[in-house]
Amino acid sequence: MADRRQRTQPEKKTGPKKRRRMSGKTWFFLLFFTVVIAIVCGIIGYSLIILNGERMLKERADMMVMGEASIVYDANGNEISRLSTAEENREIAEYDEIPKEMMNAVVATEDQRFYEHAGIDFFAIGRALVKDVIARSAVEGGSTITQQLAKNMFLSSDKTLFRKATEASIAVALENNKTKEEILTLYLNRIYFGKGVYGVKGAAKYYFNSELKDLKLWQMATLAGMPKAPSRYNPVNDAEGSKVRRGVVLQLMYDQGYITKDEMDEAKAVDYVTPPTVEQSKDEPYKAFVDYAVEEALRVMPDMTETDLRIGGYRIYTTLNPTAQTVVEKEFADDSNFEESVDDKKVQGAMVIIDHRDGAIQAIAGGRDYERKGLNRVELPRQPGSAFKPITSYGPALETGQYFPWTVLKNDKTCFGNYCPKDSRGATPITMQEAVKHSRNLPAVWMLNEIGVSNGVKFATKLGFELSDQDRNLAIALGGLTEGVTPLQMASAYSTFANSGQTVDSHTIREITTSSNTAVYTYKAPSAEQVMNADTAWYMTEMLQTVVQSGGTGTGAAIDRPVAGKTGTTQHGIPGFNSSANRDAWFVGYTPEWTAAVWMGYDRTDEQHVLKKSSAQSAAMFSKVMKQAMADMPKSSFKKPQGVKEPVKDVGAVTNFNAVFVPEQMKVALSWQGAASSNISYKVYRKAMDQTDFSLFVDSAGTTVDDMSVAPGMTYDYYVVAIDAENNLTSKQSETLSVQIPETVIEVPDVPMDSIDPDEGGIELPSFSPDSGMTPTPTPGTETPPVETIDPGTTVSPEPTDIIASPPIEEGEQDGGNADGGDNPVNATPDPAQGDGTTNEAG
């Protein structure tokens, strides 16, 4: 055994192995089975496609049926619109109604092998795949009419390989269940032709005011060229571009033998003329309101798509007030209500009216010449200017309970850090009510600085404004915001003031039902929140009423019933453009029943497109609309809360104000009469001739003050106000008095001339000249010498000082010009140190 284990195996010979070559028979079988497997896989894949398509077609058979247009109703239950969708105003064309040339034009343009393939054009798919690989993304769309119909009926418009596979499945199923004629008819009834028009029959009427059967070749070619890009190729938007596209369609028809060359050339040469019916269609009423109502309906029913809503045959009952909406649209169509532009770019505008008693939106103007599904400017953020002062400055100040409409605010020109707000006037203290009435900027910024920026932001948040971190600075007192606010937001916020401090849920939808009158949505108002004290809302209403009264900045908004409101303008903010022109002009106001916001401005502001006027036109628009819209409504009054604190009326005016220069003591003696009360103190304000503004000179508990700091040759102006610190009241300022101090004042001892002997070292009197301004006193017993020959050696006394009384300084500004006192310098740079609302805050 051991010997056997120790035997070695014979060594194998090594060397290069000889590779065996496959015979031709092997190659044949390999290729054969590869082809068989590929065929089997192809059959299985095709079968899966067919089965998947059949399944989807069966599951969504209801989508083969044309939908019923949903109808929108006003507050009175009257129909105002049928929704503009694929089904709105669609007239279904039967196969035998569609001209043969129309079908030929579409087939030649969209799918020249339509009558040959079974729903999928594999050559076209291969071409699309190659393009996708080259572009490294899905860029090629469905290549057959059947695939486009499948996408239009069942799928989204995204371009993914999965969507294409699904599209192919449905296309094959459609081909198996429908004839070519049925597929082409479905396609022509569903495709979009731009301008809210769906279906070839409606397109013939809209673009050519013609019945489908009466279309000419050039018209059919025009329509056939539009589905690829309806907005670009429709002749109303771009007649020249449409004509070029028409030529492409006609060339394809000629190349494929559908028309002759003469027919092609003749159809190419025709120029499109827009029929009158196109212009009439633009006059469809209530478009902005209906568009907003559709948006709201989709918000309150998030599980419903827009297509479902529009073609589901729903009945949408809204809050629209037809009288108010008609008036709004009439006034917005009147060019005289808007500032004239230098070119065809119009000054735009927006307006929204809310019944703040229940939040129902009465009317909406989305802009001038608003088009369906256009830019609805009631939802477009703009800078609010001074209209934001009640929201971030005065409102939160009143809410603290420490400030009232009669509270005196500082109004002197000053900087807060490196933020220096501008104001057309500023110097004397002013009550909060006067600051609101005249739209003063400096008191608003000072007030916000006192209560703290953080409190201003919190108050704005409670009124529905989401301010950014960049907005935490003093500029928000004047409406200088990062993003701006919308007219709808402003109307909703002011509705809270009008509604005694309770929130208002603005809405347009009352109810949505099916065509069989089954309710699918009913509006239920959320519980109102008391976001501010009723006293705060009342005080604000009182102050805002003065804005539309004589001397206020919004007198143009006054109507024949109580109105409270606020103007607002913003400067253009264009770097390097030296102009006082404005970018935005507002008026936001309310009656006891309705609140409305009006905005005017250009969509795009540049040096050529700025507002030369301020908020006067916005206020006038408010007046014109509200007066007509509310003409038949009973008049009511603003409701005053019980127990609201009233200002004390016995501060009393400062009277008998006197200012006299006393040369012997080189001072100005001030005296006056005031109310006999221990609670009253006084503030004396002074302005020297080399100063531009008054400043506080002294606080006084009494009614006399001496100014010992006067200088020769100077002129000083003075006025006095009485202060009731306990009740936070101030009187109106006294008259302003002006006192001139002589250039030279010389005191001379009163010594009789006959008792002095000059030869014995007596007093040497000064020499006088005619320029000295003094008059010599004659020696007793002598004649008075003429003024021209004044003798030295005569006792003199200075001339009495002139005292000049000036009228009180006027604080008011009338409409016109920059009635808001400059409002918000949009590009102002507030002090970053104050950005968190803590630095420099006294309140």
Side-chain angles (χ1 to χ4, degrees):
M1 292 291 292
D3 293 339
R4 195 179 302 156
R5 285 195 299 268
Q6 292 176 0
R7 280 184 198 166
T8 59
Q9 296 291 330
E11 295 182 3
K12 293 182 179 180
K13 293 182 180 181
T14 59
K17 292 183 179 180
K18 192 173 183 181
R19 179 176 294 179
R20 295 180 61 186
R21 298 178 60 188
M22 287 195 303
S23 64
K25 187 176 181 180
T26 303
W27 274 109
F28 171 77
F29 281 109
L30 181 61
L31 182 60
F32 174 77
F33 283 111
T34 301
V35 172
V36 170
I37 292 172
I39 292 174
V40 171
C41 290
I43 292 173
I44 294 173
Y46 190 71
S47 299
L48 290 174
I49 289 176
I50 294 175
L51 291 173
N52 183 55
E54 293 286 349
R55 177 185 61 80
M56 294 187 67
L57 198 61
K58 184 178 181 179
E59 290 177 351
R60 308 182 188 186
D62 58 322
M63 300 183 72
M64 297 288 291
V65 180
M66 299 294 181
E68 179 185 356
S70 294
I71 303 174
V72 183
Y73 298 89
D74 65 17
N76 301 322
N78 298 317
E79 179 180 329
I80 58 174
S81 178
R82 290 177 179 258
L83 294 183
S84 176
T85 67
E87 318 308 327
E88 195 253 342
N89 293 330
R90 184 203 299 278
E91 294 184 62
I92 304 300
E94 301 297 334
Y95 174 76
D96 55 7
E97 291 183 76
I98 305 173
K100 184 65 177 177
E101 284 184 321
M102 183 73 241
M103 292 186 174
N104 292 340
V106 172
V107 169
T109 306
E110 296 294 328
D111 184 8
Q112 55 188 277
R113 298 182 65 250
F114 172 71
Y115 294 106
E116 301 170 17
H117 61 67
I120 303 174
D121 190 338
F122 289 103
F123 175 79
I125 289 177
R127 181 186 63 213
L129 289 173
V130 170
K131 290 186 177 181
D132 290 351
V133 171
I134 294 174
R136 296 184 179 181
S137 63
V139 295
E140 184 74 11
S143 59
T144 71
I145 286 176
T146 315
Q147 285 176 273
Q148 292 182 53
L149 177 61
K151 178 182 69 175
N152 184 279
M153 293 174 63
F154 303 110
L155 304 170
S156 63
S157 59
D158 60 324
K159 296 180 178 180
T160 64
L161 292 176
F162 177 78
R163 197 273 297 162
K164 286 185 178 181
T166 306
E167 178 185 293
S169 297
I170 298 174
V172 171
L174 283 170
E175 291 279 352
N176 290 336
N177 289 271
K178 300 289 181 181
T179 65
K180 290 289 185 180
E181 290 75 13
E182 289 174 325
I183 290 172
L184 193 55
T185 302
L186 282 170
Y187 176 78
L188 286 172
N189 277 314
R190 284 189 176 270
I191 53 177
Y192 182 54
F193 286 92
K195 294 294 184 180
V197 180
Y198 289 79
V200 68
K201 193 169 185 178
K205 285 189 176 181
Y206 181 85
Y207 290 106
F208 305 110
N209 193 25
S210 171
E211 294 295 330
L212 185 57
K213 62 183 178 61
D214 297 327
L215 288 178
K216 298 176 182 178
L217 176 59
W218 73 271
Q219 295 169 327
M220 290 184 281
T222 299
L223 295 179
M226 289 169 58
K228 183 177 179 66
S231 297
R232 189 192 318 166
Y233 293 138
N234 82 72
V236 172
N237 281 4
D238 186 356
E240 189 59 33
S242 174
K243 186 176 182 180
V244 172
R245 176 64 176 168
R246 183 209 313 163
V248 173
V249 174
L250 291 167
Q251 186 67 50
L252 289 170
M253 293 182 72
Y254 170 70
D255 292 342
Q256 296 171 46
Y258 291 115
I259 58 175
T260 66
K261 187 176 187 306
D262 289 342
E263 289 174 325
M264 177 185 71
D265 292 340
E266 181 182 354
K268 280 185 177 181
V270 180
D271 291 323
Y272 177 78
V273 178
T274 303
T277 51
V278 170
E279 295 301 322
Q280 292 170 7
S281 68
K282 293 182 179 180
D283 296 332
E284 179 188 359
Y286 313 154
K287 292 191 286 287
F289 188 98
V290 171
D291 283 349
Y292 183 84
V294 169
E295 291 178 12
E296 184 178 316
L298 294 174
R299 288 197 300 271
V300 299
M301 297 194 300
D303 295 333
M304 183 176 292
T305 66
E306 184 171 350
T307 300
D308 292 339
L309 177 68
R310 291 177 177 272
I311 68 174
Y314 292 102
R315 305 297 184 255
I316 303 172
Y317 297 93
T318 73
T319 61
L320 181 139
N321 182 307
T323 300
Q325 186 68 42
T326 300
V327 171
V328 166
E329 296 192 3
K330 181 191 74 170
E331 296 300 336
F332 268 68
D334 186 348
D335 292 342
S336 67
N337 288 328
F338 295 85
E339 186 174 320
E340 187 176 355
S341 179
V342 296
D343 53 26
D344 59 350
K345 293 183 180 179
K346 294 182 176 181
V347 173
Q348 275 296 343
M351 184 173 186
V352 58
I353 304 175
I354 301 172
D355 186 333
H356 50 251
R357 296 168 297 182
D358 60 6
I361 296 178
Q362 305 295 299
I364 291 175
R368 299 168 74 185
D369 304 324
Y370 180 87
E371 292 188 8
R372 175 59 58 85
K373 301 195 76 173
L375 181 63
N376 198 335
R377 294 168 182 84
V378 298
E379 300 181 277
L380 187 67
R382 304 292 297 209
Q383 295 295 329
S386 286
F388 218 55
K389 290 173 181 176
I391 294 167
T392 52
S393 182
Y394 300 128
L398 294 171
E399 187 70 1
T400 66
Q402 300 176 14
Y403 299 92
F404 301 93
W406 54 87
T407 299
V408 179
L409 312 181
K410 286 190 176 181
N411 190 31
D412 50 340
K413 294 182 179 179
T414 186
C415 291
F416 302 85
N418 64 352
Y419 178 41
C420 302
K422 297 179 181 179
D423 202 330
S424 60
R425 294 182 183 178
T428 61
I430 190 172
T431 65
M432 185 186 296
Q433 180 165 301
E434 290 174 313
V436 171
K437 178 177 182 178
H438 304 299
S439 198
R440 300 273 62 85
N441 285 345
L442 296 171
V445 178
W446 178 85
M447 187 77 267
L448 179 58
N449 190 60
E450 289 292 299
I451 64 172
V453 172
S454 60
N455 286 326
V457 171
K458 288 177 184 177
F459 193 83
T461 301
K462 290 192 292 185
L463 294 186
F465 299 99
E466 296 182 6
L467 304 185
S468 69
D469 291 340
Q470 289 73 31
D471 289 328
R472 295 181 179 275
N473 56 65
L474 291 175
I476 64 174
L478 307 183
L481 305 176
T482 305
E483 299 296 335
V485 293
T486 69
L488 182 58
Q489 286 179 307
M490 291 296 287
S492 296
Y494 273 64
S495 291
T496 308
F497 292 128
N499 196 38
S500 300
Q502 293 188 338
T503 54
V504 177
D505 183 49
S506 305
H507 63 282
T508 59
I509 303 296
R510 294 190 295 116
E511 187 177 45
I512 301 176
T513 70
T514 63
S515 57
S516 58
N517 206 33
T518 301
V520 295
Y521 170 79
T522 301
Y523 174 77
K524 293 182 179 179
S527 298
E529 296 182 40
Q530 191 76 40
V531 295
M532 71 180 78
N533 293 324
D535 290 3
T536 297
W538 170 254
Y539 289 140
M540 186 60 67
T541 298
E542 277 196 312
M543 293 192 296
L544 293 177
Q545 286 184 85
T546 68
V547 172
V548 301
Q549 295 169 1
S550 177
T553 60
T555 54
I559 58 176
D560 55 350
R561 62 178 68 222
V563 173
K566 185 72 187 73
T567 53
T569 58
T570 61
Q571 295 174 353
H572 58 76
I574 302 173
F577 181 44
N578 185 19
S579 170
S580 60
N582 297 309
R583 178 171 61 183
D584 304 289
W586 295 77
F587 184 83
V588 188
Y590 51 91
T591 70
E593 304 82 19
W594 288 358
T595 301
V598 180
W599 166 83
M600 290 183 181
Y602 286 95
D603 286 335
R604 289 186 175 275
T605 301
D606 55 41
E607 294 184 8
Q608 297 297 318
H609 302 97
V610 290
L611 298 176
K612 296 178 176 59
K613 299 179 182 179
S614 61
S615 54
Q617 285 192 302
S618 299
M621 177 66 81
F622 176 94
S623 176
K624 287 183 178 181
V625 170
M626 297 292 274
K627 185 175 182 178
Q628 298 174 71
M630 304 184 74
D632 296 330
M633 292 182 63
K635 297 179 183 179
S636 59
S637 303
F638 293 114
K639 296 180 180 179
K640 181 179 179 181
Q642 292 184 352
V644 65
K645 187 174 182 179
E646 294 288 347
V648 179
K649 303 296 184 181
D650 61 353
V651 180
V654 174
T655 59
N656 296 329
F657 180 39
N658 291 296
V660 179
F661 174 62
V662 182
E664 293 83 2
Q665 301 179 24
M666 196 60 184
K667 70 178 183 181
V668 173
L670 305 168
S671 63
W672 60 88
Q673 290 182 348
S677 172
S678 59
N679 297 329
I680 305 299
S681 62
Y682 302 91
K683 291 182 180 291
V684 180
Y685 291 86
R686 186 185 80 165
K687 179 172 74 70
M689 60 186 295
D690 57 351
Q691 296 174 327
T692 57
D693 298 313
F694 280 87
S695 61
L696 179 63
F697 172 62
V698 68
D699 286 303
S700 175
T703 57
T704 60
V705 166
D706 291 336
D707 183 0
M708 306 292 294
S709 59
V710 296
M714 296 290 288
T715 299
Y716 297 91
D717 296 332
Y718 301 89
Y719 71 85
V720 182
V721 293
I723 304 295
D724 182 349
E726 181 177 344
N727 295 294
N728 213 354
L729 295 172
T730 183
S731 72
K732 291 185 177 181
Q733 69 180 49
S734 69
E735 63 178 333
T736 300
L737 298 182
S738 182
V739 178
Q740 296 176 347
I741 309 302
E743 286 284 353
T744 304
V745 180
I746 300 176
E747 296 183 10
V748 181
D750 190 11
V751 181
M753 295 296 295
D754 56 359
S755 65
I756 300 174
D757 185 355
D759 297 332
E760 296 183 4
I763 299 174
E764 184 178 353
L765 298 179
S767 298
F768 298 95
S769 69
D771 296 331
S772 66
M774 299 182 180
T775 304
T777 302
T779 303
T782 63
E783 293 184 0
T784 304
V787 174
E788 294 82 7
T789 57
I790 298 176
D791 238 351
T794 320
T795 303
V796 298
S797 60
E799 268 187 347
T801 304
D802 291 331
I803 299 178
I804 303 173
S806 302
I809 297 176
E810 292 292 335
E811 290 289 334
E813 282 193 38
Q814 304 298 324
D815 291 332
N818 194 354
D820 291 325
D823 275 349
N824 167 42
V826 175
N827 55 352
T829 306
D831 184 1
Q834 300 177 31
D836 61 0
T838 56
T839 307
N840 296 336
E841 290 179 5

